[in-house]
Amino acid sequence: MNFKPGMPLRIIPSSGMNGFEVVPAESNEQSANIVYSRTYKRAGRSNNPLELIMEFGSQSLIDSCFPKPTERFHVEMFKNKVRFSPLANRTFNIINRFKNADPFSAMVALTGGVDIYAMERLGWKANIVLEHRPQEARDIASGRNLTEVNALNTWVNANPRVILNEDIHKLSTERLAIILATQPPVAICSYSIGCDDHSLAKSKKAKQVSLDDLSTMLDMIYPVLKQIEMIEPLIVLLENVKGFGSSDAGKIMSTTLRRFGYHVSEMVLSGKDYAAYQARERYYMVASVFPGYKAPPAVNTPAGSLWEIVEKHLADCVDVTDTKLIKSREGYHRKMPAYITRDSLFSPTVLKSQDRIRDGVFIEDGGRVYKPSIPLLKDLMSIPQSFNVEWMAKEQATETLGQSVDFVLHQAVIKSVNEHLNIHIGSHSLVSYGIK
């Protein structure tokens, strides 16, 4: 590398505390730094008789060239030059980006729009949305393409700066990086990863078929983690079915986020503990660069009378008593969810496939069975009636609601995230992390 014993050295600080470079000094230049050499008395050393050393022990040099949160440093060696570059702690770098930026900007992915509707009513702005409805076998068989439906629903119910109607497996991270560079820094990445392959509602046979034809969602954590590693948000919020947390995918997700430097909190929450009308259990993960996140406390206020909610919509619900779908529930080997009746305290969980399966949510009254109307499904999931799905076909409207979050439960989680951020985003906390 052309560094010789006794050679005087010049140290050149890089701009912005980005380390320093070492080059040979000019022939007439005085320097306190030189290339040292040493030999060893023991004859068996392969590097005898000579070893060359550069030594930099000046604290003032380190303080002026390396930021305080430097965790490691990188050395690059060239002909006539050695470069020392600091590698700062990832957490510091993430927090530092929000010193003068809006800490309530969001990227929301894999959404039907309800979670955005809940977030924006609590102060968040979904600047970037990634949404794509996968082509299902029945879509292909009927020759229809509905890949843009959920993206359009986001436009109807929110006002994102950018919407990406693209399959998350096919979205180029390089392209996403270009888009992100034109937008405010993302404080929270919210993902509702596809839950079909973690749900008991999907049979083992169907799960195997989806592995074979690549329609599975088990590997969706891979592009999600790639995006998080690139975006480096303050918080990652993930919502899924209860089984996701104990799955291998869930374990890989939480472990990798901890390796990234996030403090990971996992919880299974039930809607009935948060004044919801359905006893829907959902897995939530909150991964924060700040420690000390606390799950939302359960509330003691009941949701109110379930039958009062049902009764006001009953006239608009379709009577399905004599359909094959309802008759097939009788004697089926798998236990069916109970009908909603006048005595019910909570609704069963509404599913995406509500209108197509025998174990959907149905109402029984006076010996007749009814299928919930769209407005009733909204109320059962605590979704405001102002959330607009009337523009789309009834089948897609039902699916959009059925696959969405419970509005009340999701807002309880978002409120707890807001409280967590409010504790840490203040100027005192930023200084404690080395940001001035």
Side-chain angles (χ1 to χ4, degrees), residues 251-267:
K251 292 174 184 176
I252 291 171
M253 186 82 187
S254 61
T255 302
T256 305
L257 288 174
R258 287 192 289 115
R259 290 193 192 278
F260 286 172
Y262 289 94
H263 300 270
V264 176
S265 300
E266 298 176 90
M267 52 207 148

Side-chain angles (χ1 to χ4, degrees), residues 90-105:
R90 179 194 291 267
T91 301
F92 173 88
N93 283 338
I94 293 173
I95 298 171
N96 192 42
R97 289 168 38 234
F98 290 90
K99 184 167 56 174
N100 297 309
D102 179 10
F104 290 93
S105 62

Side-chain angles (χ1 to χ4, degrees), residues 247-310:
S247 70
D248 288 340
K251 292 174 184 176
I252 291 171
M253 186 82 187
S254 61
T255 302
T256 305
L257 288 174
R258 287 192 289 115
R259 290 193 192 278
F260 286 172
Y262 289 94
H263 300 270
V264 176
S265 300
E266 298 176 90
M267 52 207 148
V268 174
L269 305 177
S270 173
K272 67 181 181 182
D273 295 325
Y274 296 91
Y277 286 105
Q278 57 179 342
R280 185 188 189 109
E281 287 190 322
R282 300 299 283 184
Y283 166 89
Y284 278 92
M285 175 192 291
V286 176
S288 172
V289 295
F290 303 112
Y293 167 79
K294 295 180 180 179
V299 298
N300 297 320
T301 306
S305 169
L306 178 62
W307 187 253
E308 286 182 8
I309 293 294
V310 173

Side-chain angles (χ1 to χ4, degrees), residues 82-138:
V82 181
R83 180 184 298 145
F84 294 82
S85 305
L87 297 174
N89 176 279
R90 179 194 291 267
T91 301
F92 173 88
N93 283 338
I94 293 173
I95 298 171
N96 192 42
R97 289 168 38 234
F98 290 90
K99 184 167 56 174
N100 297 309
D102 179 10
F104 290 93
S105 62
M107 172 177 167
V108 185
L110 312 171
T111 167
V114 175
D115 48 355
I116 296 176
Y117 210 65
M119 293 175 71
E120 291 197 336
R121 274 148 185 74
L122 292 174
W124 288 90
K125 174 61 179 174
N127 287 319
I128 300 177
V129 174
L130 171 61
E131 179 54 87
H132 177 271
R133 183 189 184 278
Q135 276 286 79
E136 299 181 9
R138 57 198 175 91

Side-chain angles (χ1 to χ4, degrees), residues 3 29 37 58 73 78 104 123 200 280 309 339 344 388:
F3 289 91
E29 185 178 350
S37 63
S58 168
F73 62 89
F78 308 90
F104 290 93
L200 296 177
R280 185 188 189 109
I309 293 294
Y339 291 125
S344 298
N388 183 5

